[in-house]
Amino acid sequence: MEIILIFIAGIMGLMIGSFLNVCIYRVPKRLSIIKPRSLCPKCSKALKFYDNIPLLSYIILGGKCRNCKNPISLRYPIVELITAIITALMFFQWGSNPLWLAAVLISSYIFIVIAIIDFETMMIADIFSYAIGFIGLSFSFFNPYFFGAPFQKLAQAAIGALVGAAMIWLLAFIGKKIYKKEAVGEGDIFLMAAIGAMLGVEGILSSLIIASLFGSVYGITLLILKKAKRFDHIPFGPFLSLAAIINMYSFIGINTFFFYI
Ligand SMILES: [Zn+2]
């Protein structure tokens, strides 16, 4: 695919990332994502269009509100940048399969929103997981990871969703027996079902392994930096979302993890 198209996809990604920031801020507060226009959360002044340009405005304003000079959360440029990079990569990878490209882009955007909200509030809004699950089922016919006739592909998405939910439910059950407390959130069950619908049974296993690896590295880093205590709750949604996005970009089969054992 031509480099200029990848570049345009990245610019589009920046603008979409800007909208995802609005969703991340407003959805947990149950505010409308359409009205009113973006405003500074500190002084409530509506942003001028030239102060609302993805990434650039943050840099030009030096990370401070033009009106009240309070710092703007670093989350805004980070989400915009991540969205731009993922959009460009997905275009590069799936440009020749437009319907599947649409499915992975929309679900990646929802995964980003889920990840940041879970990271900040420890909550996963199930409506987002339902949306990804619906995309996974209805676009299963174009899913390059599934094989066989269309109804077989649909079956693989459905079985993936069921196995995903069952697997995390089992983990939650075992965790509760061992630690005598809730180890897995209810939101994680629907999130796993959603990932299963996009990636199938092997994709669920693969995403769970990748997410556990990232989650462990993150948890150990926090312990070393003394930012967390041993049994502090670490949100799992961000790592599951990241693992799912990686697998949607390029599938990592589970034999990859056991090849060297
Ligand atoms: Zn302000």
Side-chain angles (χ1 to χ4, degrees), residues 169-186:
W169 183 84
L170 192 68
L171 277 180
F173 183 76
I174 297 169
K176 209 170 174 181
K177 285 269 177 264
I178 297 175
Y179 296 111
K180 305 267 182 255
K181 65 173 198 174
E182 239 31 85
V184 180
E186 199 176 299

mmCIF file of all heavy atoms in Angstrom, residues 169-186:
data_model
loop_
_atom_site.group_PDB
_atom_site.id
_atom_site.type_symbol
_atom_site.label_atom_id
_atom_site.label_comp_id
_atom_site.label_asym_id
_atom_site.label_seq_id
_atom_site.Cartn_x
_atom_site.Cartn_y
_atom_site.Cartn_z
ATOM 1 N N TRP A 169 -14.612 -16.971 33.302
ATOM 2 C CA TRP A 169 -15.508 -17.315 34.411
ATOM 3 C C TRP A 169 -14.851 -18.385 35.289
ATOM 4 O O TRP A 169 -14.874 -18.302 36.516
ATOM 5 C CB TRP A 169 -16.847 -17.816 33.861
ATOM 6 C CG TRP A 169 -17.825 -18.103 34.944
ATOM 7 C CD1 TRP A 169 -18.649 -17.201 35.562
ATOM 8 C CD2 TRP A 169 -18.053 -19.364 35.575
ATOM 9 N NE1 TRP A 169 -19.376 -17.835 36.535
ATOM 10 C CE2 TRP A 169 -19.035 -19.166 36.567
ATOM 11 C CE3 TRP A 169 -17.523 -20.644 35.387
ATOM 12 C CZ2 TRP A 169 -19.497 -20.187 37.370
ATOM 13 C CZ3 TRP A 169 -17.971 -21.677 36.184
ATOM 14 C CH2 TRP A 169 -18.962 -21.446 37.166
ATOM 15 N N LEU A 170 -14.216 -19.368 34.635
ATOM 16 C CA LEU A 170 -13.518 -20.444 35.349
ATOM 17 C C LEU A 170 -12.344 -19.871 36.149
ATOM 18 O O LEU A 170 -12.149 -20.199 37.320
ATOM 19 C CB LEU A 170 -13.020 -21.484 34.340
ATOM 20 C CG LEU A 170 -12.533 -22.811 34.912
ATOM 21 C CD1 LEU A 170 -13.714 -23.584 35.499
ATOM 22 C CD2 LEU A 170 -11.860 -23.643 33.823
ATOM 23 N N LEU A 171 -11.587 -18.961 35.512
ATOM 24 C CA LEU A 171 -10.464 -18.308 36.200
ATOM 25 C C LEU A 171 -10.962 -17.554 37.428
ATOM 26 O O LEU A 171 -10.349 -17.603 38.498
ATOM 27 C CB LEU A 171 -9.749 -17.333 35.264
ATOM 28 C CG LEU A 171 -8.708 -17.907 34.304
ATOM 29 C CD1 LEU A 171 -8.116 -16.785 33.459
ATOM 30 C CD2 LEU A 171 -7.603 -18.611 35.085
ATOM 31 N N ALA A 172 -12.079 -16.850 37.258
ATOM 32 C CA ALA A 172 -12.659 -16.078 38.359
ATOM 33 C C ALA A 172 -13.050 -17.013 39.495
ATOM 34 O O ALA A 172 -12.816 -16.730 40.675
ATOM 35 C CB ALA A 172 -13.882 -15.295 37.867
ATOM 36 N N PHE A 173 -13.637 -18.180 39.121
ATOM 37 C CA PHE A 173 -14.093 -19.163 40.103
ATOM 38 C C PHE A 173 -12.898 -19.709 40.896
ATOM 39 O O PHE A 173 -12.918 -19.749 42.132
ATOM 40 C CB PHE A 173 -14.825 -20.296 39.362
ATOM 41 C CG PHE A 173 -15.412 -21.327 40.269
ATOM 42 C CD1 PHE A 173 -16.581 -21.065 40.982
ATOM 43 C CD2 PHE A 173 -14.801 -22.562 40.416
ATOM 44 C CE1 PHE A 173 -17.125 -22.013 41.813
ATOM 45 C CE2 PHE A 173 -15.344 -23.521 41.258
ATOM 46 C CZ PHE A 173 -16.508 -23.251 41.962
ATOM 47 N N ILE A 174 -11.836 -20.086 40.176
ATOM 48 C CA ILE A 174 -10.641 -20.628 40.838
ATOM 49 C C ILE A 174 -9.993 -19.554 41.711
ATOM 50 O O ILE A 174 -9.628 -19.794 42.857
ATOM 51 C CB ILE A 174 -9.629 -21.154 39.790
ATOM 52 C CG1 ILE A 174 -10.243 -22.310 38.995
ATOM 53 C CG2 ILE A 174 -8.333 -21.602 40.456
ATOM 54 C CD1 ILE A 174 -9.437 -22.708 37.768
ATOM 55 N N GLY A 175 -9.896 -18.340 41.138
ATOM 56 C CA GLY A 175 -9.290 -17.231 41.872
ATOM 57 C C GLY A 175 -10.013 -16.953 43.185
ATOM 58 O O GLY A 175 -9.401 -16.692 44.216
ATOM 59 N N LYS A 176 -11.343 -17.046 43.136
ATOM 60 C CA LYS A 176 -12.148 -16.776 44.321
ATOM 61 C C LYS A 176 -11.889 -17.841 45.392
ATOM 62 O O LYS A 176 -11.845 -17.548 46.588
ATOM 63 C CB LYS A 176 -13.634 -16.758 43.934
ATOM 64 C CG LYS A 176 -14.470 -15.860 44.821
ATOM 65 C CD LYS A 176 -15.872 -15.699 44.248
ATOM 66 C CE LYS A 176 -16.743 -14.923 45.219
ATOM 67 N NZ LYS A 176 -18.101 -14.759 44.706
ATOM 68 N N LYS A 177 -11.733 -19.106 44.936
ATOM 69 C CA LYS A 177 -11.455 -20.199 45.871
ATOM 70 C C LYS A 177 -10.088 -20.012 46.544
ATOM 71 O O LYS A 177 -9.928 -20.268 47.735
ATOM 72 C CB LYS A 177 -11.467 -21.547 45.125
ATOM 73 C CG LYS A 177 -12.855 -22.031 44.765
ATOM 74 C CD LYS A 177 -13.440 -22.918 45.861
ATOM 75 C CE LYS A 177 -14.855 -23.347 45.532
ATOM 76 N NZ LYS A 177 -15.891 -22.525 46.121
ATOM 77 N N ILE A 178 -9.098 -19.574 45.760
ATOM 78 C CA ILE A 178 -7.728 -19.475 46.283
ATOM 79 C C ILE A 178 -7.561 -18.226 47.143
ATOM 80 O O ILE A 178 -7.068 -18.288 48.267
ATOM 81 C CB ILE A 178 -6.701 -19.470 45.126
ATOM 82 C CG1 ILE A 178 -6.767 -20.803 44.365
ATOM 83 C CG2 ILE A 178 -5.284 -19.236 45.659
ATOM 84 C CD1 ILE A 178 -5.893 -20.858 43.132
ATOM 85 N N TYR A 179 -7.972 -17.068 46.600
ATOM 86 C CA TYR A 179 -7.677 -15.803 47.286
ATOM 87 C C TYR A 179 -8.818 -15.339 48.183
ATOM 88 O O TYR A 179 -8.700 -14.336 48.864
ATOM 89 C CB TYR A 179 -7.356 -14.708 46.256
ATOM 90 C CG TYR A 179 -6.119 -15.002 45.461
ATOM 91 C CD1 TYR A 179 -6.198 -15.318 44.107
ATOM 92 C CD2 TYR A 179 -4.860 -14.971 46.060
ATOM 93 C CE1 TYR A 179 -5.063 -15.595 43.372
ATOM 94 C CE2 TYR A 179 -3.722 -15.244 45.328
ATOM 95 C CZ TYR A 179 -3.826 -15.556 43.994
ATOM 96 O OH TYR A 179 -2.703 -15.833 43.275
ATOM 97 N N LYS A 180 -9.952 -16.067 48.139
ATOM 98 C CA LYS A 180 -11.114 -15.716 48.952
ATOM 99 C C LYS A 180 -11.632 -14.306 48.656
ATOM 100 O O LYS A 180 -12.208 -13.650 49.502
ATOM 101 C CB LYS A 180 -10.794 -15.828 50.457
ATOM 102 C CG LYS A 180 -10.255 -17.187 50.850
ATOM 103 C CD LYS A 180 -11.371 -18.127 51.304
ATOM 104 C CE LYS A 180 -10.804 -19.471 51.738
ATOM 105 N NZ LYS A 180 -11.035 -20.530 50.741
ATOM 106 N N LYS A 181 -11.323 -13.814 47.461
ATOM 107 C CA LYS A 181 -11.922 -12.540 47.050
ATOM 108 C C LYS A 181 -12.010 -12.461 45.532
ATOM 109 O O LYS A 181 -11.418 -13.258 44.822
ATOM 110 C CB LYS A 181 -11.141 -11.349 47.619
ATOM 111 C CG LYS A 181 -9.724 -11.196 47.093
ATOM 112 C CD LYS A 181 -9.138 -9.891 47.604
ATOM 113 C CE LYS A 181 -7.934 -9.475 46.790
ATOM 114 N NZ LYS A 181 -7.410 -8.178 47.127
ATOM 115 N N GLU A 182 -12.767 -11.488 45.065
ATOM 116 C CA GLU A 182 -13.011 -11.302 43.637
ATOM 117 C C GLU A 182 -11.669 -11.036 42.922
ATOM 118 O O GLU A 182 -11.024 -10.035 43.187
ATOM 119 C CB GLU A 182 -13.896 -10.068 43.476
ATOM 120 C CG GLU A 182 -15.252 -10.182 42.799
ATOM 121 C CD GLU A 182 -16.057 -11.452 42.896
ATOM 122 O OE1 GLU A 182 -16.791 -11.630 43.880
ATOM 123 O OE2 GLU A 182 -15.985 -12.217 41.956
ATOM 124 N N ALA A 183 -11.235 -11.969 42.044
ATOM 125 C CA ALA A 183 -9.968 -11.783 41.342
ATOM 126 C C ALA A 183 -10.189 -11.238 39.934
ATOM 127 O O ALA A 183 -9.313 -10.633 39.341
ATOM 128 C CB ALA A 183 -9.199 -13.090 41.279
ATOM 129 N N VAL A 184 -11.391 -11.452 39.405
ATOM 130 C CA VAL A 184 -11.700 -11.023 38.042
ATOM 131 C C VAL A 184 -12.997 -10.231 38.076
ATOM 132 O O VAL A 184 -13.948 -10.629 38.744
ATOM 133 C CB VAL A 184 -11.853 -12.243 37.108
ATOM 134 C CG1 VAL A 184 -12.170 -11.796 35.692
ATOM 135 C CG2 VAL A 184 -10.613 -13.113 37.133
ATOM 136 N N GLY A 185 -13.024 -9.103 37.382
ATOM 137 C CA GLY A 185 -14.249 -8.297 37.349
ATOM 138 C C GLY A 185 -15.267 -8.893 36.397
ATOM 139 O O GLY A 185 -14.920 -9.619 35.466
ATOM 140 N N GLU A 186 -16.542 -8.574 36.636
ATOM 141 C CA GLU A 186 -17.604 -9.085 35.769
ATOM 142 C C GLU A 186 -17.433 -8.562 34.340
ATOM 143 O O GLU A 186 -17.698 -9.266 33.377
ATOM 144 C CB GLU A 186 -18.952 -8.643 36.332
ATOM 145 C CG GLU A 186 -20.109 -9.454 35.829
ATOM 146 C CD GLU A 186 -21.396 -9.021 36.496
ATOM 147 O OE1 GLU A 186 -21.492 -9.131 37.730
ATOM 148 O OE2 GLU A 186 -22.274 -8.554 35.770
#
